Amino acid sequence: MPTQTNPNWWKEMSVYQIWPRSFADGDNDGIGDLHGVLEKLDYIQSLGVDAIWFSPLYPSPNADYGYDCADYKNIHPEYGDLDLFRQVLDGAHERGIKVILDLVINHTSDHHEWFVKSKEGPQSEYHDYYYWRKGKKPGGKKPPNNWLSVFEGGAWEYDKNLDEYYLHVFAKGQPDLNVANPKVREEVKSILRFWLDMGVDGFREDVITYIAKTEGLPNGFPLMPVGRGMEHWTSLPPVKDYLREFKEVLDEYGAFTVGEAPMMTPALAKEYITDEAGNLLNLMFHFKHMEADCILIDWVGLPFSLRKLKKAFSTWQREMYGVGWNALYIENHDHPRIIDRYGSLKYRVASGKMLAAMYILQSGTPFVYQGQEIGMTNIKLDRLDQFKDVITFNNYNLFKKIGFNEQRFVKLANRRSRENARTPVQWSGEKNGGFCDAEPWFPVNPNYPEINVAAAEADPDSLLHWYRALLNFRKENPMVIYGSYEEHYKSSRSLYVYSREHGGKRLLVICTFGEKPVQFNAPRGFDLTKAKQVFGNYAAPETQTNGFVTRPWECRVYLWE
Ligand code: GLC
C-alpha cells in the first residue's frame, strides 16, 4: 500500500467503488448499508485495492439515490450513522485502504435545510444559495430561460408562494447550488473539513465541471432535446477559481480528488490536472471510451465500434502521458454492465477477463465497480414499474414521443439503463444471491446461482481471481503504473494491441474483440518466443511462437524483463 509520504500514492493506488444501496445488506432489511460494508472489508482488501470510493452515504430522500443530498455532514439512516461510518473508516485504514467520499455540490436535495429556508424568499440568507429567478411571465407561465434539465423535463421549477422559479439541471428534487455565492463556497469548505478532520482521504467530485453558470443565465442552443443550455453550465472558467479555493483546504490534508467531467476533452483536462494548471484536481473521469456503442449517452445506441474505443483510450493515454494522469474505468453506477456492452454474454468470463486486462494495464489509476470483479451482467425486467431511476422514467416520456410503447421501451431499458449496474451484489447462490432474506429494494439478477462471489472464490479460473492477479501485477510492476504506452495495429477491427515500457521492461497486451479467429503476428521488435506470458484467458501454448490464431475474446499479456 502506498503511504501518505509517497506523493504518488494516488497514481499507484487502485480503487473499488461501492454504490451503498446495493453492495451488502448487513441488517437484512433489503437495503445495502454500512453494517454490510464492515463485514465485507476483508473481501475488499483481498481484491488488492488501496481505496474505496463510496457513492453518497448522506441522508437523502432518494430522488437520485444519494446524489440528492439532504445533509452533507451525516449518514443516511438507511445506511447507518456517523459512529458506524467511523468504524468503517477505521476498519478500512487498519487494512491499508483509503476512503474517498462522493462530494455532490452542484446541487442539494430539495429537502436540504438550505433549500427549505431559501423558499422563505429574498429576505432569507439562503435564498441566494440557489438560482431563484422571476419567470418571463408572472404566475408560472414562462420560465426564466429555455434550459432543459438532463434528468426531468424543463430545468426550472415554479414556486407559487414566491412567484419564482428555481434551477435544476438534474431532477426536480436536485436544485442547483449557486456556487458563485461566496457563502456557498464557505459551506463547501466546511463540509470538506468535517470529513477530512474525521480522517477521510479524498473526494470524488460529482459533475464538478457544472458548478459555474453563465452570468445572466441566457437561453441555450434551441435544438437540444435534453440538457438544453448545457453550454452555459459546462466547464466555464469560474469552475477553476472555485476549485482553487477548495484546494487550499484539501492541500492542508493532502487529500485526493477525482472530478466527474462530462464532455471533457484532453485539452480541457490539462487546464485542471497538470502541474502547470496547479493540479486543481488529481484526476478526471471523462466519458469518451464509454461512447463506443452509443451517441453521447448510453440510451442512443449504435453498434459497438472497436476503433472508436481504441481511439478514445489511446488519445487520453497519449495526451496525459508525462503531464497529467488518467482515471481508468469501464463500469460505474451510471452505465449498464460492460460485458453486455463491449464483451459477450456467451463468452462472459473470457470477454470479461479481456476487458479487465485491456483497461487495468493502461497508464492511470484503475477503478473497479462493485460486481464488475465477478462479471455481473445486465438484468432483464418485464415491466416499467420495476424500474426506480428518474432517468429511466424521463426517457420513457421522451421515447414515447417517438413511438415507443412500454414493452419496447422496457426492452431498451434492459440494455441501456444505468439501473443494470444497481442490482444487488450477488454474494452467494443462496436466496436473493445472499444479499438479504427480506425483499430486496431492487430485483436481484436471477443469474445469481451461477454468477456470485462464493462461486467465483471457489473457481481458480474465475474473473474474481483474474482481477486480483491483475491488480497485484500492477502493484508489483512499476512499468504498468509509470510506463509509456504505444498502440499497435490501430486500424484492426478485432484486435486491440498496445505495449508499455519502463526501466528496461516491456509489456505487450493483446485483446481480441469477438469470436472470429484472426491471425495475430507480433509487432516488429516484439519477440514472443523470448517473453514470458504473464496473463492469458486460455491455457498458454506449450511452445510460444511469434504469432497465433486468436480464440474467442482471447487475451494474452507478454512480459520482457
Ligand atoms: C453524476 C452521478 C450520477 C448522478 C448525477 C447527478 O453524474 O454520477 O449518478 O445522477 O451526477 O448528481
Side-chain angles (χ1 to χ4, degrees), residues 221-295:
F221 180 64
L223 297 181
M224 290 284 287
V226 275
R228 184 191 298 154
M230 60 166 58
E231 67 275 26
H232 295 300
W233 69 67
T234 307
S235 304
L236 300 179
V239 173
K240 287 181 248 169
D241 301 328
Y242 306 153
L243 289 179
R244 207 164 286 122
E245 224 178 293
F246 302 151
K247 189 175 153 60
E248 283 175 23
V249 175
L250 293 158
D251 279 353
E252 285 175 36
Y253 299 81
F256 160 83
T257 51
V258 50
E260 187 201 22
M263 323 288 287
M264 189 44 55
T265 62
L268 201 51
K270 286 181 196 165
E271 296 181 18
Y272 291 85
I273 60 175
T274 59
D275 286 348
E276 208 182 326
N279 298 308
L280 302 176
L281 297 163
N282 292 117
L283 306 176
M284 284 177 125
F285 285 129
H286 71 86
F287 287 61
K288 205 67 198 163
H289 63 293
M290 301 307 282
E291 293 166 13
D293 65 351
C294 62
I295 306 175

Side-chain angles (χ1 to χ4, degrees), residues 17 19 53 55-56 64-68 102 104 106-107 151 170-171 174 204-207 210 260 262 287 332-334 389-391 418 422:
Q17 183 193 349
W19 197 76
W53 149 30
S55 275
D64 188 14
Y65 295 104
Y67 286 94
D68 51 324
D102 221 302
V104 191
N106 178 68
H107 41 266
F151 277 6
F170 292 92
Q174 294 172 296
R204 177 267 186 185
E205 304 192 353
D206 189 61
V207 286
Y210 283 14
E260 187 201 22
F287 287 61
N332 63 32
H333 64 294
D334 286 334
D389 181 32
V390 58
I391 301 189
R418 63 179 181 174
R422 299 176 173 193

Side-chain angles (χ1 to χ4, degrees), residues 86-129:
R86 279 192 200 93
Q87 284 181 52
V88 169
L89 184 64
D90 292 346
H93 284 166
E94 279 159 22
R95 290 167 178 80
I97 295 172
K98 294 187 186 289
V99 171
I100 297 162
L101 292 188
D102 221 302
L103 180 77
V104 191
I105 55 163
N106 178 68
H107 41 266
T108 67
S109 157
D110 59 345
H111 290 215
H112 196 291
E113 196 191 351
W114 302 336
F115 188 72
V116 173
K117 289 186 173 158
S118 82
K119 285 205 227 173
E120 288 164 10
Q123 72 282 5
S124 159
E125 65 164 316
Y126 292 99
H127 191 254
D128 196 34
Y129 271 40

Side-chain angles (χ1 to χ4, degrees), residues 70-90:
D71 180 356
Y72 289 97
K73 296 181 181 172
N74 218 330
I75 295 293
H76 198 316
E78 286 177 332
Y79 302 153
D81 56 20
L82 281 170
D83 277 340
L84 185 56
F85 176 73
R86 279 192 200 93
Q87 284 181 52
V88 169
L89 184 64
D90 292 346

Side-chain angles (χ1 to χ4, degrees), residues 171-410:
K172 288 178 190 156
Q174 294 172 296
D176 279 55
L177 270 173
N178 175 14
V179 182
N181 178 347
K183 283 193 197 157
V184 171
R185 299 202 297 279
E186 286 309 314
E187 299 277 13
V188 172
K189 288 187 249 178
S190 146
I191 297 163
L192 296 177
R193 284 189 193 285
F194 177 82
W195 295 106
L196 292 169
D197 283 336
M198 200 181 292
V200 161
D201 303 282
F203 298 93
R204 177 267 186 185
E205 304 192 353
D206 189 61
V207 286
I208 198 66
T209 44
Y210 283 14
I211 62 174
K213 275 79 185 174
T214 304
E215 249 185 79
L217 312 179
N219 276 339
F221 180 64
L223 297 181
M224 290 284 287
V226 275
R228 184 191 298 154
M230 60 166 58
E231 67 275 26
H232 295 300
W233 69 67
T234 307
S235 304
L236 300 179
V239 173
K240 287 181 248 169
D241 301 328
Y242 306 153
L243 289 179
R244 207 164 286 122
E245 224 178 293
F246 302 151
K247 189 175 153 60
E248 283 175 23
V249 175
L250 293 158
D251 279 353
E252 285 175 36
Y253 299 81
F256 160 83
T257 51
V258 50
E260 187 201 22
M263 323 288 287
M264 189 44 55
T265 62
L268 201 51
K270 286 181 196 165
E271 296 181 18
Y272 291 85
I273 60 175
T274 59
D275 286 348
E276 208 182 326
N279 298 308
L280 302 176
L281 297 163
N282 292 117
L283 306 176
M284 284 177 125
F285 285 129
H286 71 86
F287 287 61
K288 205 67 198 163
H289 63 293
M290 301 307 282
E291 293 166 13
D293 65 351
C294 62
I295 306 175
L296 284 178
I297 55 166
D298 298 339
W299 288 83
V300 187
L302 284 178
F304 171 71
S305 159
L306 177 60
R307 294 220 278 195
K308 247 173 120 181
L309 183 74
K310 296 196 292 188
K311 192 169 171 217
F313 272 122
S314 291
T315 305
W316 279 83
Q317 288 289 301
R318 194 180 55 238
E319 294 282 335
M320 288 302 122
Y321 194 70
V323 290
W325 198 252
N326 278 294
L328 303 170
Y329 73 96
I330 51 174
E331 281 197 11
N332 63 32
H333 64 294
D334 286 334
H335 300 282
R337 293 288 184 178
I338 201 67
I339 291 175
D340 290 78
R341 293 182 67 178
Y342 296 177
S344 156
L345 289 175
K346 184 172 162 206
Y347 293 97
R348 186 182 66 85
V349 174
S351 68
K353 286 181 176 176
M354 182 280 290
L355 290 165
M358 174 206 61
Y359 88 103
I360 288 177
L361 297 176
Q362 296 193 21
S363 160
T365 298
F367 290 74
V368 178
Y369 178 66
Q370 65 186 36
Q372 180 187 333
E373 76 278 20
I374 55 164
M376 281 177 62
T377 60
N378 288 352
I379 191 169
K380 299 269 168 285
L381 297 177
D382 301 321
R383 302 182 320 271
L384 189 62
D385 64 12
Q386 292 174 292
F387 291 84
K388 308 264 188 207
D389 181 32
V390 58
I391 301 189
T392 305
F393 297 110
N394 192 42
N395 282 340
Y396 180 52
N397 291 331
L398 293 173
F399 279 88
K400 254 191 331 205
K401 288 186 192 152
I402 54 165
F404 277 62
N405 61 18
E406 180 176 327
Q407 209 187 358
R408 192 167 157 215
F409 178 77
V410 165

